[in-house]
Amino acid sequence: MWKGILQTMDYTDNMKTSGKYDDLKQRIIEYIENNLNERRLKHTYSVVKEAVKLADYYGADREKAELAALFHDMYRSKPVSVLNMYIRQLGLPKNIIDNPNLSHAKIAAVVMKRDYGIEDDDILNAVSYHTTGRAGMSDLEKIIFLADAIEPGRKYPTVEETRRLAYIDLNKACISSLERTVEYIKGIGEFLDPDTINAINDLKEKI
């Protein structure tokens, strides 16, 4: 199944390099093909393409970007009850219980290290903070955060401005997306992760 989807999305045309993560990426692809719903799978491959494009543009490691993007939503299609089970089993913060928007990223990062042997902190952080951002984000973290926010399937009022900024200034683009996140979360009355506010303040200081 997955080869057909990758071909349709020109995924393979963008992945010309080979490297130390090839076998690992294959394992991840097989997992997401069998565990993500169709919409989430399409989103994931779109994020991969955008992440590699941004990595090439800014001179970041494209293989790390590809790996983090493939992994970023690995648990996003799981029911809340399953995510809550992982939170308890992995000893993750209780304030992300019943919050799949936050929990899926934290779970994925822990599983990357525990079950897939990924020790690179930059990759782990890029997955862990791809929904919230944080103070002190690396370029890879910003790239994964933005790729998730601006892939072609995303449709929200400020997305075109964020897409424009993404290829002008990573920091300004992240601020644009993060501020939209704050507005959205406050609007629906859900828990706003302090990391998001810290990320905005940190990025504003940098520019």
Side-chain angles (χ1 to χ4, degrees):
M1 170 185 166
W2 69 269
K3 290 182 179 178
I5 293 177
L6 297 185
Q7 216 170 29
T8 299
M9 301 187 65
D10 296 325
Y11 176 90
T12 50
D13 289 342
N14 287 276
M15 306 299 112
K16 297 297 186 185
T17 59
S18 61
K20 65 180 180 178
Y21 296 118
D22 284 354
D23 290 342
L24 183 56
K25 286 184 287 189
Q26 179 61 43
R27 286 176 59 198
I28 295 168
I29 288 169
E30 289 175 357
Y31 180 91
I32 63 177
E33 287 285 344
N34 289 312
N35 288 276
L36 298 186
N37 61 42
E38 184 177 352
R39 182 179 67 84
R40 187 61 53 182
L41 191 61
K42 182 177 180 180
H43 163 73
T44 296
Y45 289 140
S46 291
V47 172
V48 173
K49 287 181 64 178
E50 194 68 48
V52 170
K53 185 179 174 183
L54 284 165
D56 286 345
Y57 188 84
Y58 286 103
D61 190 313
R62 67 170 5 229
E63 192 172 26
K64 289 183 180 182
E66 182 188 3
L67 183 62
L70 279 170
F71 218 106
H72 85 286
D73 268 1
M74 181 174 272
Y75 291 93
R76 191 62 183 87
S77 292
K78 298 292 186 186
V80 173
S81 60
V82 173
L83 294 176
N84 288 345
M85 177 192 69
Y86 275 114
I87 292 167
R88 295 184 179 97
Q89 287 181 349
L90 299 173
L92 292 169
K94 292 182 179 179
N95 64 1
I96 62 174
I97 287 177
D98 293 328
N99 192 328
N101 287 328
L102 297 180
S103 63
H104 78 279
K106 304 304 181 188
I107 292 166
V110 173
V111 172
M112 285 180 80
K113 186 171 185 176
R114 187 193 69 180
D115 296 350
Y116 290 79
I118 298 172
E119 299 285 345
D120 189 309
D121 286 338
D122 205 15
I123 298 173
L124 296 172
N125 287 333
V127 172
S128 183
Y129 296 99
H130 80 266
T131 60
T132 62
R134 67 171 183 130
M137 295 169 74
S138 69
D139 281 353
L140 179 64
E141 290 176 67
K142 294 171 188 175
I143 284 167
I144 299 303
F145 175 80
L146 283 173
D148 185 35
I150 68 170
E151 61 92 356
R154 293 295 198 191
K155 302 185 187 305
Y156 52 89
T158 60
V159 69
E160 291 302 330
E161 175 65 6
T162 304
R163 285 182 180 132
R164 183 185 71 83
L165 290 170
Y167 290 90
I168 297 174
D169 188 305
L170 276 176
N171 291 338
K172 290 181 179 178
C174 285
I175 290 170
S176 173
S177 184
L178 287 162
E179 288 183 336
R180 185 261 171 187
T181 297
V182 171
E183 182 180 352
Y184 174 76
I185 294 298
K186 286 183 175 179
I188 62 176
E190 289 193 358
F191 170 73
L192 177 62
D193 195 306
D195 280 330
T196 300
I197 301 300
N198 292 338
I200 293 171
N201 293 337
D202 180 65
L203 290 167
K204 285 185 174 179
E205 287 182 10
K206 285 181 168 59
I207 64 173

